[in-house]
Amino acid sequence: MIKSESGHLKIARPLASGGFSTNDGLRPYRLAAHPRTGGALTSTRPVRVSDTVSIGGGAITVIAGPCSVESAEMILSIAHSVKSMGAVMLRGGAFKPRTSPYSFNGLGPSALEFLENARSVSALPIVTEAMDTRQVEMVARTADMVQVGARNMQNFSLLEEVGRCGRPVLLKRGLSATITDLLLAAEHVMAAGNSDVVLCERGIRTFETSTRATLDVSAIPVLKEETHLPVIVDPSHAGGRSRLVLPLALASIAAGADGIMVEVHPDPEAALSDGDQSLTIEEFGELMRALEPVAAAVGRTM
Ligand code: PEP
Ligand code: MN
């Protein structure tokens, strides 16, 4: 018999106190929740992205690259630079969700070719966004990891499609999504057959206007309590200004994040998207140097 939704929610909702029941059977996300072995919580299950990169183990994963892929030369030179400074994955948007329809919205399929070339030369695995179910197959052919952006976190058709794409998924938290919403979105991907999901806190919309979004640092330990899925943080979209990226990244690693994803551009003022929040190559080097002692302090390596 199919249970009515209200009946289901009565047993599945987090407690009114805002916390979660400790009984697994009452959790609305059964695949994303920690399995319980003898009453003890198990820890994060690393997600394997390539032969060289797994997210969620002892090492902090640093993903870096431009907001948008702007040319073949640009993505290749950024790949070389960030790799030499310790990044282990390359990011770069081919299809860009933009608030205004008149903003640059990515180079599309040719950017995927440029990313593929940058990967074969630099050996850095790639993460890039699929905005639409129709793009998933094409993106998954190039990407080592497929990104679902904040604005699409509850696009359930897209979640199902990436659940069948055969690649790990980087799922970004929606601008007004609760932690439970994020976990349920991950559950959609997992229920479609893909358990390789990495969660990304990227700031939520609050009443605060001095930053682009408000980084929800508390989401990191809450997610760690709730799920075995690795958790990374994008301090670039959270802060919206390059000066904020370093302190937000340090706070994220100190709070237990498994990695960070940051936007880097050789000339942020000339960037076609998100220049304000993009680090220069030199600033990225400073960030990497600053991260090391913080990672060591919480028992992680870089
Ligand atoms: C991005 O990472 O390229 C992006 C568009 O971020 P978000 O979906 O978090 O806004
Ligand atoms: Mn961006």
Side-chain angles (χ1 to χ4, degrees):
M1 197 182 78
I2 298 171
K3 249 194 213 117
S4 74
E5 184 167 52
S6 61
H8 170 71
L9 285 177
K10 261 184 220 121
I11 57 162
R13 263 191 197 137
L15 302 175
S17 63
F20 293 84
S21 163
T22 51
N23 183 337
D24 259 3
L26 302 186
R27 293 186 188 211
Y29 34 86
R30 41 203 81 147
L31 299 171
H34 283 291
R36 279 170 199 278
T37 40
L41 279 179
T42 53
S43 53
T44 301
R45 272 190 212 152
V47 166
R48 185 184 174 283
V49 177
S50 71
D51 290 345
T52 52
V53 177
S54 281
I55 305 178
I60 296 297
T61 303
V62 177
I63 306 172
C67 179
S68 306
V69 176
E70 297 176 6
S71 70
E73 299 70 37
M74 174 255 205
I75 191 69
L76 184 58
S77 105
I78 294 179
H80 280 314
S81 304
V82 298
K83 184 179 180 179
S84 72
M85 292 168 169
V88 296
M89 277 184 78
L90 181 66
R91 65 149 287 146
F95 301 98
K96 295 302 302 176
R98 302 307 303 278
T99 302
S100 163
Y102 310 116
S103 301
F104 174 67
N105 65 355
L107 297 177
S110 48
L112 295 177
E113 272 175 42
F114 303 157
L115 281 166
E116 221 165 296
N117 178 55
R119 184 211 4 240
S120 65
V121 179
S122 71
L124 287 180
I126 279 158
V127 58
T128 193
E129 177 165 354
M131 280 174 57
D132 187 280
T133 50
R134 293 166 297 182
Q135 293 164 357
V136 171
E137 202 188 323
M138 188 199 322
V139 169
R141 249 183 271 132
T142 295
D144 298 277
M145 182 177 229
V146 177
Q147 178 171 323
V148 172
R151 287 153 193 83
N152 262 320
M153 191 206 80
Q154 285 185 316
N155 179 337
F156 299 113
S157 315
L158 181 61
L159 295 176
E160 261 182 49
E161 197 66 31
V162 297
R164 291 190 288 260
C165 78
R167 297 281 188 197
V169 172
L170 180 61
L171 179 62
K172 299 191 83 177
R173 182 178 181 182
L175 276 77
S176 43
T178 65
I179 293 171
T180 305
D181 293 337
L182 173 61
L183 286 165
L184 284 169
E187 191 79 9
H188 273 272
V189 179
M190 298 177 86
N194 187 350
S195 47
D196 291 336
V197 181
V198 174
L199 305 173
C200 182
E201 161 62 37
R202 47 79 72 215
I204 51 175
R205 191 158 277 183
T206 68
F207 51 80
E208 182 54 68
T209 52
S210 52
T211 49
R212 184 174 180 184
T214 299
L215 180 66
D216 182 9
V217 178
S218 25
I220 303 161
V222 172
L223 285 167
K224 286 284 163 192
E225 262 173 38
E226 287 302 310
T227 180
H228 57 82
L229 299 174
V231 178
I232 70 165
V233 170
D234 170 353
S236 307
H237 288 88
R241 280 184 288 136
S242 59
R243 275 201 327 279
L244 300 175
V245 172
L246 188 144
L248 296 182
L250 298 186
S252 303
I253 298 307
D258 297 300
I260 54 162
M261 179 164 79
V262 294
E263 289 185 338
V264 176
H265 194 286
D267 181 8
E269 279 186 23
L272 296 181
S273 58
D274 285 349
D276 290 349
Q277 67 196 35
S278 298
L279 300 178
T280 61
I281 304 292
E282 292 69 33
E283 287 166 342
F284 177 69
E286 279 165 38
L287 170 65
M288 292 302 286
R289 287 189 289 280
L291 278 173
E292 207 161 326
V294 177
V298 292
R300 311 290 290 261
T301 56
M302 292 286 296

